[in-house]
Amino acid sequence: MPLAEVTIGFAESAVSDLDEIRLWYVEQGVPDVGERLIAEILQRVEALGKHPELGRIVPEFEQAFLRELIQPPFRIVYRHDPGKIRIVRVWRGERLLRLSKAP
């Protein structure tokens, strides 16, 4: 019996990250590169529907529900809850995640 696919959603922060990636490559004069990279990111995200634990646990947080896929040069950070995945951020691979601190 096949496993049920989980639903995948995108946080506003992840949508904004994808827009910024697209814009950066447009500004560099190579919009086709940006479009290709975003398509590759979305393809990796789609695989999570059948394999939600495909990514590794984010080392900065060491929480089982917070995972990431590496799609060079990007990190696709997602939250895995029962039956659903939420893409949280899409960042350059060298960027470390940090907890935001209250002012």
Side-chain angles (χ1 to χ4, degrees):
M1 174 181 282
L3 295 173
E5 285 195 33
V6 299
T7 60
I8 300 173
F10 284 79
E12 212 172 291
S13 54
V15 173
S16 178
D17 291 339
L18 292 173
D19 288 342
E20 288 176 20
I21 291 166
R22 181 177 284 115
L23 180 60
W24 190 85
Y25 284 97
V26 167
E27 290 171 350
Q28 301 307 306
V30 287
D32 54 321
V33 173
E35 293 298 326
R36 179 181 52 81
L37 290 172
I38 289 170
E40 290 172 359
I41 289 167
L42 295 176
Q43 186 175 21
R44 287 295 305 263
V45 166
E46 191 176 311
L48 292 172
K50 292 184 180 176
H51 308 284
E53 293 187 7
L54 186 62
R56 69 178 185 173
I57 293 173
V58 177
E60 292 94 326
F61 296 111
E62 296 183 3
Q63 299 291 323
F65 64 86
L66 194 60
R67 306 180 78 83
E68 69 181 354
L69 292 173
I70 305 300
Q71 178 64 38
F74 301 103
R75 298 171 75 182
I76 305 164
V77 180
Y78 65 97
R79 182 179 173 114
H80 176 212
D81 291 311
K84 64 183 177 179
I85 297 247
R86 185 163 179 83
I87 307 304
V88 180
R89 300 304 307 241
V90 182
W91 276 343
R92 295 280 306 188
E94 65 274 5
R95 189 169 175 180
L96 294 177
L97 295 175
R98 294 190 191 135
L99 291 173
S100 54
K101 296 182 181 178

XYZ file of all heavy atoms in Angstrom:
841
model
N 0.843 -1.178 0.000
C 0.000 0.000 0.000
C 0.889 1.242 0.000
O 1.746 1.396 0.861
C -0.893 -0.028 1.233
C -1.702 1.233 1.400
S -2.728 1.209 2.875
C -4.055 0.192 2.322
N 0.734 2.170 -0.954
C 1.582 3.358 -1.013
C 1.280 4.309 0.144
O 0.156 4.376 0.638
C 1.219 4.011 -2.354
C -0.074 3.396 -2.769
C -0.207 2.093 -2.055
N 2.316 5.011 0.567
C 2.158 6.006 1.622
C 1.431 7.223 1.089
O 1.600 7.607 -0.060
C 3.536 6.447 2.151
C 4.359 5.381 2.854
C 5.745 5.915 3.165
C 3.679 4.921 4.128
N 0.622 7.843 1.930
C -0.083 9.061 1.529
C 0.927 10.207 1.436
O 1.838 10.309 2.252
C -1.161 9.391 2.551
N 0.738 11.032 0.439
C 1.608 12.189 0.305
C 1.220 13.246 1.323
O 0.065 13.359 1.699
C 1.501 12.782 -1.103
C 2.210 11.947 -2.134
C 2.422 12.685 -3.442
O 2.619 13.910 -3.423
O 2.390 12.023 -4.475
N 2.200 13.988 1.776
C 1.944 15.092 2.689
C 1.660 16.349 1.877
O 2.065 16.457 0.711
C 3.133 15.335 3.645
C 3.398 14.123 4.512
C 4.393 15.705 2.894
N 0.966 17.300 2.469
C 0.733 18.567 1.781
C 1.947 19.466 1.996
O 2.601 19.411 3.043
C -0.540 19.267 2.293
O -0.392 19.527 3.689
C -1.768 18.421 2.048
N 2.229 20.281 0.998
C 3.383 21.179 1.045
C 2.884 22.610 0.902
O 2.116 22.915 -0.011
C 4.385 20.862 -0.076
C 4.899 19.419 0.059
C 5.549 21.853 -0.063
C 5.758 18.953 -1.085
N 3.332 23.455 1.806
C 2.998 24.880 1.738
C 4.264 25.709 1.876
O 5.319 25.200 2.259
N 4.149 26.977 1.538
C 5.282 27.897 1.615
C 4.957 29.032 2.573
O 3.917 29.684 2.435
C 5.585 28.494 0.239
C 6.281 27.555 -0.694
C 5.574 26.574 -1.373
C 7.644 27.635 -0.878
C 6.209 25.699 -2.232
C 8.293 26.760 -1.738
C 7.582 25.791 -2.418
N 5.851 29.282 3.512
C 5.732 30.448 4.377
C 6.003 31.692 3.533
O 6.707 31.632 2.514
C 6.730 30.361 5.528
N 5.465 32.814 3.968
C 5.696 34.074 3.268
C 7.186 34.361 3.128
O 7.648 34.881 2.107
C 5.015 35.198 4.058
C 4.507 36.325 3.193
C 3.674 37.304 4.004
O 2.568 36.943 4.434
O 4.165 38.438 4.182
N 7.959 34.011 4.156
C 9.404 34.238 4.126
C 10.065 33.459 2.983
O 10.969 33.974 2.316
C 10.039 33.866 5.461
O 9.687 32.543 5.826
N 9.619 32.238 2.733
C 10.193 31.428 1.654
C 9.804 31.979 0.286
O 10.627 32.004 -0.638
C 9.747 29.976 1.785
N 8.559 32.434 0.156
C 8.118 33.045 -1.108
C 8.960 34.295 -1.381
O 9.419 34.517 -2.506
C 6.613 33.381 -1.067
C 6.199 34.175 -2.294
C 5.794 32.102 -0.946
N 9.186 35.088 -0.349
C 10.013 36.290 -0.483
C 11.443 35.925 -0.884
O 12.052 36.584 -1.728
C 10.013 37.059 0.837
O 10.825 38.193 0.764
N 11.982 34.856 -0.282
C 13.333 34.401 -0.640
C 13.412 34.047 -2.117
O 14.374 34.429 -2.807
C 13.728 33.175 0.190
C 13.937 33.474 1.660
O 14.166 34.645 2.018
O 13.866 32.515 2.453
N 12.417 33.332 -2.630
C 12.415 32.948 -4.048
C 12.329 34.182 -4.944
O 13.009 34.252 -5.974
C 11.271 31.977 -4.340
C 11.410 30.598 -3.710
C 10.133 29.788 -3.922
C 12.621 29.852 -4.249
N 11.513 35.152 -4.553
C 11.422 36.401 -5.321
C 12.759 37.127 -5.345
O 13.182 37.650 -6.379
C 10.344 37.323 -4.732
C 8.933 36.831 -5.003
O 8.746 35.993 -5.917
O 8.014 37.285 -4.290
N 13.446 37.152 -4.192
C 14.750 37.819 -4.117
C 15.795 37.103 -4.969
O 16.631 37.744 -5.594
C 15.207 37.916 -2.663
C 14.407 38.932 -1.871
C 14.787 38.958 -0.398
O 15.891 38.490 -0.048
O 13.974 39.465 0.400
N 15.752 35.786 -4.982
C 16.679 35.015 -5.823
C 16.444 35.373 -7.287
O 17.385 35.670 -8.030
C 16.506 33.498 -5.587
C 16.991 33.120 -4.187
C 17.217 32.686 -6.674
C 16.566 31.732 -3.737
N 15.182 35.333 -7.691
C 14.831 35.659 -9.081
C 15.330 37.068 -9.437
O 15.977 37.268 -10.465
C 13.320 35.561 -9.280
C 12.874 35.867 -10.699
C 11.369 35.691 -10.876
N 11.039 34.264 -10.959
C 10.318 33.597 -10.084
N 9.797 34.202 -9.048
N 10.090 32.317 -10.238
N 15.050 38.047 -8.573
C 15.446 39.434 -8.818
C 16.958 39.581 -8.908
O 17.475 40.293 -9.769
C 14.874 40.338 -7.725
C 15.210 41.821 -7.840
C 14.678 42.402 -9.148
C 14.637 42.582 -6.647
N 17.691 38.903 -8.035
C 19.142 39.019 -8.037
C 19.713 38.575 -9.387
O 20.574 39.253 -9.950
C 19.756 38.187 -6.904
C 21.211 38.479 -6.725
C 21.766 39.479 -5.985
C 22.312 37.776 -7.331
N 23.138 39.440 -6.082
C 23.498 38.396 -6.905
C 22.399 36.681 -8.176
C 24.761 37.961 -7.298
C 23.652 36.248 -8.578
C 24.827 36.878 -8.138
N 19.218 37.465 -9.916
C 19.727 36.990 -11.198
C 19.296 37.890 -12.355
O 20.042 38.054 -13.324
C 19.349 35.524 -11.432
C 20.214 34.596 -10.613
C 19.773 34.108 -9.383
C 21.487 34.235 -11.037
C 20.582 33.275 -8.615
C 22.293 33.412 -10.277
C 21.841 32.945 -9.064
O 22.652 32.126 -8.300
N 18.125 38.497 -12.252
C 17.696 39.479 -13.256
C 18.662 40.662 -13.237
O 19.127 41.128 -14.283
C 16.241 39.941 -13.001
C 15.908 41.182 -13.824
C 15.264 38.815 -13.321
N 18.983 41.152 -12.036
C 19.905 42.287 -11.906
C 21.299 41.960 -12.426
O 22.023 42.845 -12.870
C 19.982 42.741 -10.446
C 18.709 43.400 -9.966
C 18.694 43.660 -8.470
O 19.606 43.164 -7.748
O 17.771 44.355 -8.010
N 21.684 40.682 -12.358
C 22.996 40.267 -12.868
C 22.984 40.075 -14.382
O 24.012 39.779 -14.979
C 23.442 38.968 -12.183
C 23.543 39.055 -10.672
C 24.399 40.213 -10.207
O 25.545 40.352 -10.619
N 23.839 41.060 -9.364
N 21.808 40.211 -14.986
C 21.702 40.072 -16.437
C 21.573 38.637 -16.915
O 21.741 38.363 -18.105
N 21.283 37.717 -15.983
C 21.134 36.305 -16.359
C 19.834 35.741 -15.770
O 19.857 34.812 -14.950
C 22.364 35.473 -15.923
C 23.569 35.774 -16.794
C 22.691 35.705 -14.447
N 18.697 36.295 -16.194
C 17.426 35.842 -15.615
C 17.160 34.358 -15.853
O 16.517 33.705 -15.033
C 16.382 36.709 -16.315
C 17.041 37.179 -17.566
C 18.505 37.289 -17.243
N 17.679 33.812 -16.953
C 17.465 32.397 -17.234
C 18.124 31.498 -16.188
O 17.597 30.442 -15.842
C 17.956 32.038 -18.644
C 19.402 32.454 -18.887
O 19.804 33.552 -18.431
O 20.136 31.696 -19.538
N 19.257 31.941 -15.640
C 19.929 31.170 -14.589
C 19.054 31.151 -13.332
O 18.857 30.108 -12.711
C 21.328 31.749 -14.276
C 21.944 31.053 -13.069
C 22.240 31.622 -15.488
N 18.502 32.293 -12.974
C 17.618 32.369 -11.818
C 16.396 31.490 -11.985
O 16.004 30.768 -11.060
N 15.802 31.523 -13.158
C 14.617 30.694 -13.424
C 14.954 29.209 -13.332
O 14.177 28.418 -12.785
C 14.023 31.020 -14.793
C 13.432 32.410 -14.901
C 12.270 32.663 -13.950
O 11.495 31.720 -13.668
O 12.139 33.804 -13.478
N 16.115 28.832 -13.849
C 16.533 27.421 -13.787
C 16.754 26.989 -12.348
O 16.306 25.912 -11.922
C 17.816 27.206 -14.598
C 18.311 25.760 -14.547
C 19.598 25.547 -15.335
N 20.667 26.463 -15.018
C 21.490 26.343 -13.964
N 21.360 25.335 -13.126
N 22.446 27.216 -13.760
N 17.431 27.830 -11.552
C 17.697 27.487 -10.156
C 16.401 27.365 -9.355
O 16.246 26.448 -8.544
C 18.632 28.511 -9.520
C 20.070 28.476 -10.023
C 20.852 29.664 -9.477
C 20.750 27.176 -9.635
N 15.463 28.272 -9.588
C 14.183 28.216 -8.879
C 13.410 26.962 -9.277
O 12.816 26.293 -8.429
C 13.378 29.502 -9.111
C 14.060 30.649 -8.353
C 11.928 29.339 -8.664
C 13.531 32.018 -8.674
N 13.448 26.613 -10.555
C 12.787 25.380 -11.006
C 13.405 24.158 -10.315
O 12.685 23.241 -9.903
C 12.881 25.246 -12.524
N 14.726 24.151 -10.154
C 15.401 23.036 -9.479
C 14.999 22.983 -8.002
O 14.789 21.903 -7.445
C 16.917 23.170 -9.623
C 17.404 22.922 -11.034
C 18.876 23.253 -11.226
O 19.545 23.704 -10.244
O 19.371 23.074 -12.355
N 14.891 24.150 -7.370
C 14.466 24.217 -5.966
C 13.058 23.641 -5.831
O 12.793 22.815 -4.955
C 14.527 25.676 -5.450
C 15.981 26.118 -5.307
C 13.765 25.813 -4.127
C 16.163 27.619 -5.102
N 12.150 24.070 -6.698
C 10.769 23.600 -6.631
C 10.669 22.105 -6.899
O 9.838 21.407 -6.298
C 9.887 24.402 -7.586
C 9.748 25.886 -7.234
C 8.927 26.610 -8.289
C 9.169 26.091 -5.848
N 11.523 21.599 -7.766
C 11.540 20.163 -8.040
C 11.966 19.388 -6.792
O 11.390 18.350 -6.464
C 12.480 19.876 -9.212
C 12.458 18.452 -9.677
C 13.312 18.249 -10.922
O 14.213 19.041 -11.215
N 13.035 17.206 -11.651
N 12.977 19.901 -6.088
C 13.418 19.254 -4.841
C 12.313 19.293 -3.797
O 12.069 18.317 -3.091
C 14.667 19.934 -4.281
C 15.938 19.689 -5.019
C 16.404 18.242 -4.979
N 16.549 17.698 -3.647
C 17.671 17.610 -2.962
N 18.795 18.023 -3.486
N 17.692 17.087 -1.751
N 11.633 20.439 -3.692
C 10.538 20.580 -2.731
C 9.434 19.576 -3.044
O 8.872 18.948 -2.141
C 10.000 22.028 -2.733
C 8.670 22.124 -2.012
C 11.024 22.976 -2.111
N 9.125 19.401 -4.312
C 8.075 18.471 -4.727
C 8.370 17.045 -4.243
O 7.462 16.305 -3.862
C 7.938 18.499 -6.246
C 6.726 17.787 -6.763
C 6.595 17.943 -8.272
O 6.696 19.080 -8.766
O 6.374 16.916 -8.935
N 9.642 16.667 -4.223
C 10.032 15.325 -3.773
C 9.671 15.092 -2.305
O 9.485 13.954 -1.875
C 11.527 15.106 -3.983
N 9.558 16.164 -1.532
C 9.208 16.030 -0.117
C 7.796 15.475 0.069
O 7.482 14.924 1.121
C 9.326 17.381 0.595
C 10.740 17.930 0.742
C 10.698 19.341 1.292
C 11.585 17.020 1.617
N 6.944 15.639 -0.932
C 5.582 15.123 -0.837
C 5.551 13.627 -0.567
O 4.717 13.139 0.190
N 6.476 12.900 -1.175
C 6.547 11.447 -0.982
C 7.610 11.046 0.027
O 7.558 9.953 0.585
C 6.827 10.757 -2.321
C 5.680 10.853 -3.285
C 5.960 10.083 -4.547
C 4.771 10.222 -5.494
N 5.010 9.580 -6.764
N 8.578 11.927 0.247
C 9.708 11.616 1.131
C 9.963 12.790 2.081
O 10.969 13.495 1.960
C 10.957 11.319 0.308
C 10.745 10.286 -0.745
N 10.659 8.940 -0.454
C 10.563 10.393 -2.086
C 10.454 8.264 -1.568
N 10.384 9.125 -2.572
N 9.069 13.027 3.042
C 9.175 14.222 3.894
C 10.417 14.278 4.777
O 10.796 15.355 5.225
C 7.897 14.181 4.735
C 7.411 12.786 4.664
C 7.891 12.228 3.356
N 11.043 13.145 5.010
C 12.246 13.152 5.841
C 13.518 13.075 5.001
O 14.584 12.730 5.504
C 12.180 12.022 6.863
C 11.063 12.272 7.860
C 11.045 11.286 9.003
O 11.986 10.470 9.121
O 10.081 11.339 9.775
N 13.388 13.455 3.748
C 14.523 13.428 2.823
C 15.665 14.326 3.301
O 16.830 13.980 3.185
C 14.045 13.875 1.430
C 15.022 13.793 0.284
C 15.460 12.352 0.055
C 14.389 14.356 -0.979
N 15.321 15.476 3.854
C 16.339 16.422 4.305
C 16.935 16.048 5.646
O 16.386 15.251 6.397
N 18.069 16.664 5.932
C 18.717 16.429 7.222
C 18.165 17.405 8.260
O 17.596 18.444 7.923
C 20.226 16.609 7.099
C 20.635 18.053 6.854
C 22.124 18.219 6.784
N 22.449 19.640 6.666
C 23.662 20.129 6.722
N 24.691 19.314 6.877
N 23.865 21.422 6.618
N 18.355 17.077 9.522
C 17.983 17.986 10.598
C 18.903 19.201 10.507
O 20.112 19.062 10.303
C 18.108 17.282 11.962
C 17.054 16.170 12.056
C 17.967 18.277 13.109
C 17.180 15.293 13.277
N 18.344 20.403 10.637
C 19.139 21.633 10.549
C 20.118 21.649 11.722
O 19.698 21.654 12.884
C 18.233 22.886 10.572
C 19.078 24.148 10.560
C 17.272 22.873 9.393
N 21.436 21.644 11.442
C 22.426 21.518 12.507
C 22.391 22.658 13.531
O 22.689 22.441 14.687
C 23.773 21.464 11.781
C 23.502 21.730 10.355
C 22.031 21.672 10.116
N 22.004 23.860 13.112
C 21.981 24.990 14.042
C 20.936 24.838 15.144
O 21.054 25.437 16.198
C 21.691 26.312 13.310
C 22.776 26.766 12.385
C 22.567 26.305 10.943
O 22.037 25.198 10.721
O 22.936 27.054 10.035
N 19.897 24.035 14.885
C 18.800 23.916 15.848
C 18.651 22.537 16.465
O 18.116 22.400 17.550
C 17.483 24.334 15.199
C 17.468 25.766 14.792
C 17.458 26.124 13.458
C 17.485 26.771 15.741
C 17.456 27.448 13.075
C 17.483 28.101 15.369
C 17.473 28.448 14.037
N 19.060 21.490 15.746
C 18.978 20.117 16.228
C 17.567 19.755 16.715
O 17.397 19.131 17.751
C 20.020 19.867 17.315
C 21.443 19.996 16.799
C 22.489 19.683 17.847
O 22.142 19.302 18.978
O 23.668 19.828 17.526
N 16.548 20.156 15.954
C 15.154 19.821 16.224
C 14.685 18.888 15.111
O 14.811 19.231 13.935
C 14.280 21.078 16.249
C 14.660 22.083 17.312
C 14.372 21.575 18.712
O 13.382 20.896 18.941
N 15.248 21.901 19.635
N 14.114 17.750 15.476
C 13.737 16.743 14.478
C 12.722 17.267 13.461
O 12.704 16.809 12.321
C 13.188 15.499 15.170
N 11.895 18.224 13.827
C 10.858 18.725 12.919
C 11.385 19.776 11.941
O 10.720 20.098 10.966
C 9.672 19.311 13.708
C 10.031 20.517 14.535
C 10.011 21.786 13.983
C 10.395 20.377 15.867
C 10.353 22.889 14.733
C 10.725 21.483 16.630
C 10.711 22.744 16.062
N 12.574 20.321 12.187
C 13.134 21.360 11.324
C 14.261 20.748 10.504
O 15.297 20.351 11.039
C 13.643 22.534 12.165
C 13.952 23.809 11.408
C 12.700 24.347 10.695
C 14.501 24.872 12.347
N 14.019 20.638 9.201
C 14.939 19.932 8.323
C 15.346 20.830 7.152
O 14.752 21.879 6.935
C 14.284 18.646 7.836
C 13.791 17.774 8.996
C 13.137 16.511 8.536
N 14.120 15.519 8.143
C 14.748 14.698 8.986
N 14.500 14.753 10.266
N 15.605 13.811 8.531
N 16.331 20.365 6.387
C 16.765 21.129 5.222
C 17.233 20.201 4.118
O 17.756 19.125 4.362
C 17.869 22.114 5.591
C 19.184 21.470 5.954
C 20.263 22.458 6.339
O 20.055 23.675 6.220
O 21.341 21.997 6.757
N 16.998 20.674 2.910
C 17.550 20.046 1.720
C 18.645 20.971 1.209
O 18.500 22.201 1.247
C 16.490 19.923 0.629
C 15.343 18.967 0.867
C 14.308 19.124 -0.242
C 15.843 17.538 0.911
N 19.698 20.401 0.730
C 20.764 21.191 0.119
C 20.593 21.080 -1.388
O 20.610 19.986 -1.947
C 22.158 20.694 0.554
C 22.280 20.679 2.083
C 23.246 21.535 -0.105
C 22.097 22.017 2.762
N 20.379 22.221 -2.022
C 20.293 22.310 -3.484
C 21.271 23.416 -3.858
O 20.909 24.576 -3.896
C 18.854 22.656 -3.918
C 18.686 22.821 -5.411
C 18.953 21.520 -6.154
O 18.611 20.453 -5.701
N 19.568 21.624 -7.312
N 22.555 23.041 -4.027
C 23.587 24.059 -4.221
C 23.203 25.117 -5.245
O 22.666 24.767 -6.290
C 24.803 23.246 -4.695
C 24.551 21.870 -4.144
C 23.057 21.695 -4.206
N 23.437 26.382 -4.913
C 24.084 26.892 -3.699
C 23.098 27.234 -2.573
O 23.407 28.058 -1.723
C 24.763 28.165 -4.211
C 23.804 28.690 -5.236
C 23.205 27.455 -5.894
N 21.939 26.603 -2.529
C 20.902 26.991 -1.582
C 20.595 25.928 -0.532
O 20.835 24.741 -0.751
C 19.602 27.321 -2.327
C 19.780 28.421 -3.320
C 19.872 28.146 -4.666
C 19.876 29.742 -2.907
C 20.069 29.162 -5.590
C 20.070 30.754 -3.819
C 20.163 30.467 -5.166
N 20.051 26.403 0.581
C 19.504 25.564 1.652
C 17.995 25.783 1.629
O 17.535 26.918 1.718
C 20.019 26.004 3.016
C 21.500 25.899 3.194
C 21.936 26.554 4.484
N 21.591 25.700 5.637
C 21.828 26.043 6.893
N 22.371 27.212 7.183
N 21.505 25.232 7.874
N 17.250 24.708 1.530
C 15.790 24.776 1.554
C 15.378 24.281 2.946
O 15.449 23.087 3.230
C 15.168 23.891 0.461
C 15.724 24.268 -0.915
C 13.650 23.981 0.507
C 15.470 23.219 -1.987
N 14.988 25.202 3.810
C 14.668 24.869 5.197
C 13.162 24.664 5.310
O 12.381 25.492 4.843
C 15.150 25.980 6.148
C 14.828 25.630 7.594
C 16.642 26.226 5.968
N 12.779 23.551 5.934
C 11.347 23.262 6.057
C 11.004 22.669 7.414
O 11.841 22.085 8.088
C 10.874 22.332 4.936
C 11.446 20.939 4.932
C 10.730 19.878 5.497
C 12.672 20.658 4.345
C 11.226 18.583 5.470
C 13.173 19.370 4.317
C 12.456 18.337 4.886
O 12.949 17.060 4.862
N 9.760 22.861 7.769
C 9.208 22.281 8.997
C 8.366 21.078 8.600
O 7.497 21.188 7.745
C 8.355 23.311 9.729
C 7.804 22.773 11.019
C 6.977 23.793 11.764
N 6.372 23.134 12.895
C 6.651 23.406 14.158
N 7.506 24.371 14.440
N 6.077 22.738 15.129
N 8.657 19.949 9.232
C 7.914 18.721 8.941
C 7.037 18.381 10.141
O 7.534 18.048 11.213
C 8.890 17.581 8.650
C 8.219 16.272 8.437
N 8.795 15.088 8.785
C 7.017 15.948 7.912
C 7.982 14.088 8.489
N 6.892 14.596 7.963
N 5.755 18.509 9.950
C 4.764 18.117 10.950
C 3.956 16.965 10.359
O 3.934 16.791 9.141
C 3.843 19.298 11.280
C 4.586 20.403 12.025
O 5.290 20.086 13.006
O 4.471 21.582 11.625
N 3.264 16.181 11.187
C 2.493 15.056 10.652
C 1.540 15.497 9.530
O 0.722 16.395 9.710
C 1.716 14.547 11.874
C 2.581 14.939 13.043
C 3.177 16.266 12.650
N 1.734 14.901 8.364
C 0.855 15.156 7.229
C 1.113 16.432 6.453
O 0.453 16.693 5.458
N 2.082 17.239 6.896
C 2.339 18.480 6.149
C 3.783 18.946 6.272
O 4.481 18.640 7.223
C 1.390 19.585 6.587
C 1.541 20.014 8.011
C 0.506 21.072 8.358
C 0.625 21.441 9.827
N -0.315 22.468 10.210
N 4.158 19.690 5.252
C 5.490 20.295 5.169
C 5.282 21.782 4.909
O 4.431 22.159 4.099
C 6.285 19.699 3.985
C 6.491 18.222 4.212
C 7.542 20.475 3.708
C 7.858 17.742 4.438
N 6.053 22.603 5.588
C 6.002 24.048 5.342
C 7.422 24.510 5.036
O 8.301 24.405 5.887
C 5.443 24.779 6.546
C 5.256 26.247 6.327
C 4.325 26.793 7.410
N 4.113 28.204 7.286
C 3.234 28.772 6.481
N 2.490 28.025 5.693
N 3.084 30.082 6.447
N 7.620 25.013 3.827
C 8.928 25.552 3.444
C 9.063 26.888 4.159
O 8.219 27.776 4.009
C 9.038 25.726 1.913
C 8.687 24.419 1.175
C 10.444 26.225 1.534
C 9.490 23.217 1.556
N 10.127 27.030 4.932
C 10.304 28.208 5.777
C 11.237 29.234 5.134
O 10.931 30.422 5.099
C 10.844 27.800 7.166
C 11.027 29.005 8.062
C 9.923 26.788 7.819
N 12.389 28.781 4.634
C 13.368 29.689 4.025
C 14.077 28.991 2.877
O 14.207 27.763 2.865
C 14.450 30.132 5.041
C 13.993 30.854 6.267
C 13.183 32.103 6.057
N 13.724 33.116 5.211
C 14.023 34.359 5.586
N 13.877 34.717 6.836
N 14.432 35.243 4.715
N 14.579 29.794 1.960
C 15.457 29.312 0.888
C 16.623 30.290 0.866
O 16.488 31.426 0.427
C 14.748 29.277 -0.479
C 15.696 28.728 -1.546
C 13.473 28.442 -0.417
N 17.747 29.839 1.398
C 18.904 30.710 1.572
C 20.141 30.151 0.899
O 20.244 28.951 0.653
C 19.217 30.844 3.057
C 18.423 31.892 3.759
C 17.725 32.923 3.209
C 18.245 31.998 5.159
N 17.135 33.661 4.190
C 17.437 33.124 5.395
C 18.699 31.259 6.246
C 17.083 33.534 6.673
C 18.341 31.667 7.511
C 17.546 32.792 7.715
N 21.099 31.037 0.690
C 22.410 30.610 0.207
C 22.991 29.621 1.203
O 22.819 29.762 2.410
C 23.355 31.806 0.069
C 22.958 32.834 -0.973
C 23.300 32.457 -2.353
N 24.706 32.117 -2.495
C 25.287 31.897 -3.646
N 24.597 31.976 -4.762
N 26.545 31.586 -3.716
N 23.701 28.624 0.712
C 24.213 27.555 1.553
C 25.173 27.985 2.646
O 25.231 27.363 3.695
N 25.898 29.061 2.434
C 26.880 29.470 3.434
C 26.265 30.271 4.579
O 26.905 30.541 5.571
C 28.011 30.284 2.781
C 27.587 31.617 2.203
C 27.049 31.548 0.781
O 26.899 30.447 0.221
O 26.787 32.618 0.218
N 25.004 30.629 4.454
C 24.331 31.442 5.463
C 23.854 30.567 6.625
O 23.239 29.540 6.424
C 23.146 32.129 4.825
C 22.490 33.155 5.679
C 21.505 33.940 4.836
N 20.774 34.847 5.673
C 19.856 35.667 5.229
N 19.569 35.700 3.957
N 19.228 36.471 6.045
N 24.160 30.980 7.850
C 23.725 30.250 9.041
C 22.376 30.770 9.489
O 22.092 31.963 9.409
C 24.738 30.422 10.175
C 26.118 29.810 9.956
C 27.020 30.122 11.140
C 26.015 28.311 9.747
N 21.554 29.876 9.996
C 20.272 30.265 10.565
C 20.505 30.749 11.993
O 21.343 30.231 12.699
C 19.310 29.085 10.582
C 18.892 28.541 9.232
C 18.030 27.303 9.437
C 18.109 29.575 8.475
N 19.728 31.732 12.406
C 19.810 32.238 13.759
C 18.426 32.407 14.328
O 17.500 32.769 13.602
C 20.512 33.598 13.780
C 21.946 33.522 13.377
C 22.655 34.823 13.648
N 23.943 34.742 12.981
C 24.468 35.688 12.253
N 23.839 36.807 12.089
N 25.627 35.514 11.675
N 18.308 32.185 15.611
C 17.063 32.484 16.288
C 16.957 33.990 16.419
O 17.939 34.657 16.773
C 17.035 31.865 17.692
C 16.954 30.355 17.759
C 17.115 29.893 19.198
C 15.613 29.883 17.219
N 15.783 34.541 16.118
C 15.632 35.983 16.287
C 15.441 36.266 17.777
O 14.759 35.529 18.488
C 14.464 36.508 15.474
O 13.307 35.804 15.791
N 16.070 37.335 18.239
C 15.990 37.691 19.655
C 15.122 38.931 19.802
O 15.177 39.837 18.980
C 17.384 37.966 20.204
C 18.252 36.711 20.171
C 19.598 36.964 20.755
C 20.407 35.682 20.677
N 21.730 35.824 21.172
N 14.367 38.944 20.861
C 13.512 40.110 21.125
C 14.386 41.298 21.445
O 15.435 41.158 22.085
C 12.586 39.802 22.297
N 13.966 42.515 21.006
C 14.788 43.716 21.266
C 14.862 44.060 22.727
O 14.093 43.728 23.536
C 14.061 44.829 20.496
C 12.763 44.272 20.054
C 12.789 42.788 20.257
